[in-house]
Amino acid sequence: MLDPLVIGGIPLSSRLFIGTGKYSRNTMIPEVVSASGSQVITVALRRVDPESEDNIISHIPSHMTLLPNTSGARTAEEAVRIARLARAAGLGNWVKIEVIKDQKYLLPDNLETIRATEILAAEGFVVLPYMSPDLSAALRMQAAGAAAIMPLGSPIGSNRGLRTTELLRILISEVDLPVIVDAGIGRPSEAAEAMELGASAVLLNTAIATARDPLLMAEAFREAVVAGRKAYLAGLGPVEETAVASSPLTGFLK
């Protein structure tokens, strides 16, 4: 583990987080986990039914770190209640805060998210808030005790890619927390771009689940995230306004 990402005291060798929604069958989840190499998986508590014969949790490999999310919450109070229920149900103390009132674009409510983050971090949760990429809000989440922030690349489930690149660049530069780009990434090249910017990880679901071959797409994203991280660590070359010869223009030619 030469370049681990550490969140909540847990070192992660994979910087690709995945979801559990939209698959044609729950039995595909462990296959996607294997193909993607992911170690963190998010699941909405409202999809967990312990009494169901097809309980989604039973399909998640035991080595995975569970990241329950508060999907469906419209207020901080609702998000806090969902997080507490998830922990009481044995799903661990990691939580992805989702507080969404807007039902057209599903954009997160940063103010309510900050409130939920402060409450849950004080209760010992490892809080990863899903947020609109705003620096002031990100710094408030950091002060509230967030373990990482998860700004969107574009509207969730849209596969539209990185439409917030400059805002993500600012967050990565100014926030002293892991920045995990969450939502909207549709192509492996976009995941690589996020990692090249300096993102600590990416979380995606729809791009894999809706692909013609989800397992092959999971492999593609796995490789793209690794490539993007390597490019960031290597240091991208400078961008020039004019041409710069790669070979000297002087020498034996007269």
Side-chain angles (χ1 to χ4, degrees), residues 30-49:
E31 299 172 27
V32 172
V33 167
S34 178
S36 68
S38 179
Q39 296 168 289
V40 177
I41 190 165
T42 187
V43 60
L45 182 62
R46 61 183 179 176
R47 296 188 61 215
V48 177
D49 182 2

Side-chain angles (χ1 to χ4, degrees), residues 66-192:
L66 288 177
L67 180 58
N69 67 63
T70 65
S71 173
R74 298 191 177 210
T75 66
E77 289 76 16
E78 290 179 358
V80 167
R81 184 164 62 251
I82 293 170
R84 290 169 177 166
L85 287 171
R87 185 159 68 178
L91 302 184
N93 69 332
W94 283 41
V95 62
K96 174 186 171 184
I97 298 297
E98 292 186 28
V99 181
I100 298 173
K101 297 178 182 176
D102 157 49
Q103 295 302 299
K104 182 175 182 180
Y105 298 104
L106 300 180
L107 298 176
D109 183 324
N110 281 351
L111 180 59
E112 292 293 299
T113 300
I114 293 167
R115 291 179 57 218
T117 297
E118 186 172 26
I119 294 168
L120 292 171
E123 294 182 6
F125 282 87
V126 177
V127 184
L128 289 77
Y130 172 57
M131 62 170 301
S132 291
D134 173 82
L135 179 58
S136 295
L139 292 174
R140 287 186 173 91
M141 291 173 193
Q142 176 177 299
I149 56 170
M150 306 183 76
L152 57 87
S154 57
I156 193 167
S158 68
N159 282 348
R160 294 181 64 189
L162 298 181
R163 300 302 177 96
T164 57
T165 303
E166 291 307 312
L167 297 175
L168 294 173
R169 197 187 308 274
I170 290 170
L171 296 187
I172 291 166
S173 172
E174 300 298 325
V175 179
D176 294 326
L177 290 175
V179 176
I180 302 167
V181 179
D182 177 13
I185 290 178
R187 300 170 183 266
S189 58
E190 294 158 356

Side-chain angles (χ1 to χ4, degrees), residues 199-214:
S200 297
V202 298
L203 188 155
L204 53 92
N205 180 79
T206 301
I208 294 176
T210 61
R212 184 174 65 251
D213 186 337

